[in-house]
Amino acid sequence: MGGNVKVVIDADLCQGQGRCFSIAPSIFNFDDLGNGFVIGDGELSPETIDLARLAQANCPEHAIFIEESS
Amino acid sequence: MTDKPPVLDFATDFDHTDPEWVSDPYPIWEDLRQRCPVAHTDRFGGAWFPATHAGVSAIAKDTVNFTSRDVIVHEGRPTEEDLPAPIGLAPPITSDPPFHQIARKLILPAFSPGVVNALEPQIRALCNSLLDDIITEGVVNASMNYARLIPPSVIREMLGFPAEDMDIFIRCVHVITESIDRPEEERIELFAPVEEYFRTKIEEHMENPRDDLTSFLLNAEINGEKLAVEHVFGTMVLILVAGIDTTWGAIGASLWHLAQHPDDLARLVNEPDLMPVAIEEFLRFYAPVTMARLVKADMDYLGCPMKEYDWILLGFPAANRDPVVFKDADKFIIDRAENRHVAFGLGIHRCIGSNLARLELRVAIEEFIKRYPKFELENKDDVTWAQGQIRGPRNLPLRILS
Ligand code: HEM
Ligand code: SF4
């Protein structure tokens, strides 16, 4: 399966629209201001990657990135 | 209201208060997207209306070329003298950077998901007590007697104002939301009793702080200094203006939809887990809020010759119907999985109350359909829509079916 897949939120783009942590509370959480952040190191497994992609596809600010590293 | 000439072509002479736009704007926007993606009008002293997601998104995120100093389009072209300082009349909605972020950060924590989600049981109890009060003769006015009453009660409780003041509070809210675009002198006069009521409540909180939004605002600090009472009152007014008719509109429009789509209603009744996804589709399809910006300086933008202080009517609801971004954009798909809608805006002014609005909308619909799992429109022609930048049904008689 090659390298690792990681999800990150670009904090400069995130405006706290709150879609990610509603859709995927196991991957994302929110801070005191309501902005999203990734729980832990953001490493995705084959089981969680689709959920992360779904959250990504619902973020109005295009603030979620899924990166493959080798 | 003065009589205005009817609109002949929405591409060159649009008017969002025109009866055709008020009752059903969607075909107008679709037509504009196909032949003139940025409409213009000489009305209101000159205004532009981008009908595409790309246009709305570009302007919402561009605080260099556009200002939020006035976010409600009104008659007459603003001049430098009419406009408030960049801090704005009602920070943060009328503020530009850099002050915007300061005013926004001040109130964000009070509306974070953690704080807001804790309100769910009380919102549920409120919806049920409103439903208990409705005495049906088979017909319920779901807008006036239900959707309208939910947002002010929720905010009253958040502010820590007593339940027995409900009637006074609703009257105040009415004055505030109905008079916000009146001339200043008139507004000051109308506001006087409202201000007095709020001032008394604020003073009570100063003497006796508690765990509510009023005490939160009184404790908040900018640069180490507590907010002036005027600032606290101003913020309360903003929260009322931004949080009430908007959420009323969203709840009403969602019930209006369900009354006409028995399949969607049955699915929600039978599959409660669908609710969060359905809520996002209600928000996309019936987004209630259109905002405004002003052009900061003469420039060509989106191919249009914009002039300083031209209005921009920023149609988040139109962006939500753009087929370039949404598959089957003109179809309501209750289980639409991918839904990047912009009902709460985009960029730095993203709705502060979005978590609260979603919660109110979800709980209001859940409790209504629990009580009344089958209903339809009593008479389609009796339904009226609010005119202006906040869209929602005002009169919504629903016939309850067994
Ligand atoms: C369904 C209901 C609602 C919708 C669709 C909605 C929509 C919006 C939109 C589109 C904006 C962006 C304005 C702009 O770009 O100029 C906004 C801003 C705002 N909303 Fe809401 N809103 C709703 C409910 C609420 C509630 C319940 C509250 C508070 C109790 C609230 C408070 C605010 C505030 C304070 C702002 C200004 C944020 C800023 O400028 O940084 N809204 N809302
Ligand atoms: S959905 Fe996007 S904007 Fe919203 S909190 Fe998550 S990352 Fe931020």
Side-chain angles (χ1 to χ4, degrees):
Chain A
M1 286 272 304
N4 297 335
V5 184
K6 268 185 88 154
V7 60
V8 292
I9 289 182
D10 181 332
D12 290 334
L13 293 176
C14 171
Q15 300 289 349
Q17 295 258 6
R19 303 298 303 284
C20 54
F21 46 80
S22 320
I23 290 172
S26 58
I27 304 176
F28 305 96
N29 204 343
F30 52 85
D31 64 17
D32 288 349
L33 298 179
N35 288 330
F37 68 86
V38 173
I39 300 170
D41 60 10
E43 249 0 279
L44 296 173
S45 65
E47 291 79 48
T48 56
I49 190 155
D50 286 346
L51 194 58
R53 286 201 198 286
L54 185 65
Q56 182 185 35
N58 279 282
C59 172
E61 307 285 351
H62 293 262
I64 301 174
F65 296 87
I66 295 176
E67 297 166 347
E68 270 177 64
S69 59
S70 46
Chain B
M1 283 268 101
T2 46
D3 277 331
K4 296 198 218 172
V7 172
L8 296 178
D9 183 352
F10 280 96
T12 53
D13 179 38
F14 75 83
D15 186 339
H16 60 294
T17 65
D18 183 84
E20 191 183 335
W21 181 304
V22 172
S23 70
D24 189 14
Y26 307 108
I28 300 174
W29 300 340
E30 186 48 37
D31 173 54
L32 289 176
R33 273 190 292 269
Q34 287 178 18
R35 67 188 176 95
C36 174
V38 186
H40 183 261
T41 187
D42 288 331
R43 296 171 192 240
F44 313 105
W48 302 92
F49 174 77
T52 60
H53 183 282
V56 169
S57 172
I59 295 175
K61 291 181 182 171
D62 186 343
T63 55
V64 173
N65 290 307
F66 302 94
T67 168
S68 281
R69 282 161 72 187
D70 202 335
V71 289
I72 308 289
V73 172
H74 48 75
E75 287 304 332
R77 195 180 175 78
T79 62
E80 184 57 36
E81 292 78 64
D82 318 324
L83 288 172
I87 289 178
L89 259 187
I93 205 162
T94 53
S95 321
D96 290 333
F99 181 77
H100 168 265
Q101 197 62 8
I102 298 170
R104 181 174 171 90
K105 279 213 170 119
L106 200 72
I107 44 181
L108 270 176
F111 291 92
S112 84
V115 172
V116 161
N117 291 342
L119 303 173
E120 180 164 341
Q122 78 193 50
I123 297 177
R124 212 172 279 288
L126 163 73
C127 291
N128 274 298
S129 85
L130 292 172
L131 289 166
D132 291 343
D133 288 345
I134 295 175
I135 304 156
T136 58
E137 291 290 324
V139 178
V140 174
N141 192 328
S143 176
M144 294 312 280
N145 296 335
Y146 186 64
R148 178 179 70 99
L149 301 173
I150 297 167
S153 307
V154 171
I155 293 181
R156 182 194 49 71
E157 277 199 52
M158 286 183 83
L159 288 171
F161 293 6
E164 39 312 350
D165 287 2
M166 197 61 222
D167 291 341
I168 306 177
F169 190 77
I170 296 219
R171 271 204 302 281
C172 290
V173 166
H174 197 73
V175 169
I176 292 172
T177 54
E178 299 289 311
S179 63
I180 200 73
D181 52 1
R182 297 280 178 79
E184 184 161 345
E185 278 158 41
E186 213 178 302
R187 193 174 62 222
I188 289 172
E189 200 183 306
L190 286 162
F191 262 41
V194 175
E195 204 170 337
E196 194 185 304
Y197 171 73
F198 275 75
R199 206 175 272 277
T200 320
K201 293 296 144 196
I202 292 171
E203 276 161 15
E204 281 171 26
H205 278 77
M206 287 166 94
E207 276 158 34
N208 180 10
R210 31 213 123 141
D211 182 18
D212 58 28
L213 185 52
T214 304
S215 290
F216 172 88
L217 293 172
L218 285 166
N219 278 323
E221 291 181 357
I222 295 184
N223 297 331
E225 282 198 37
K226 291 243 172 8
L227 305 183
V229 171
E230 288 68 39
H231 189 149
V232 170
F233 175 63
T235 306
M236 288 175 169
V237 168
L238 166 64
I239 290 170
L240 295 170
V241 170
I244 290 191
D245 285 9
T246 49
T247 316
W248 171 17
I251 299 171
S254 305
L255 291 172
W256 178 76
H257 174 91
L258 292 174
Q260 298 170 92
H261 296 86
D263 298 354
D264 287 339
L265 177 54
R267 272 197 78 181
L268 282 188
V269 170
N270 297 323
E271 298 170 56
D273 290 350
L274 199 58
M275 198 57 90
V277 180
I279 291 302
E280 301 304 328
E281 183 66 346
F282 284 128
L283 286 165
R284 180 186 78 86
F285 210 70
Y286 299 112
V289 179
T290 294
M291 278 288 145
R293 295 289 187 269
L294 289 164
V295 175
K296 276 200 199 166
D298 295 5
M299 63 175 169
D300 273 326
Y301 199 92
L302 304 174
C304 301
M306 298 186 176
K307 295 270 175 293
E308 184 185 26
Y309 297 142
D310 278 353
W311 293 104
I312 304 285
L313 189 62
L314 200 53
F316 298 112
N320 278 350
R321 299 283 191 120
D322 187 343
V324 171
V325 176
F326 301 95
K327 213 172 141 219
D328 292 321
D330 58 349
K331 290 208 178 72
F332 181 95
I333 300 175
I334 198 159
D335 55 2
R336 185 183 288 272
E338 294 189 4
N339 190 349
R340 264 195 183 112
H341 73 77
V342 296
F344 292 115
L346 273 176
I348 63 166
H349 290 280
R350 187 273 305 167
C351 177
I352 287 180
S354 60
N355 304 300
L356 178 63
R358 285 194 166 98
L359 176 66
E360 289 184 43
L361 178 56
R362 176 168 61 77
V363 172
I365 304 297
E366 281 171 356
E367 294 310 310
F368 194 89
I369 68 174
K370 224 179 271 171
R371 188 76 58 113
Y372 302 122
K374 278 190 181 169
F375 52 88
E376 63 184 18
L377 286 186
E378 168 67 357
N379 179 357
K380 216 176 156 63
D381 299 333
D382 284 348
V383 178
T384 54
W385 293 84
Q387 186 206 54
Q389 287 179 214
I390 312 295
R391 187 176 156 75
R394 282 287 155 101
N395 186 39
L396 183 61
L398 300 183
R399 173 157 294 278
I400 305 304
L401 306 173
S402 49

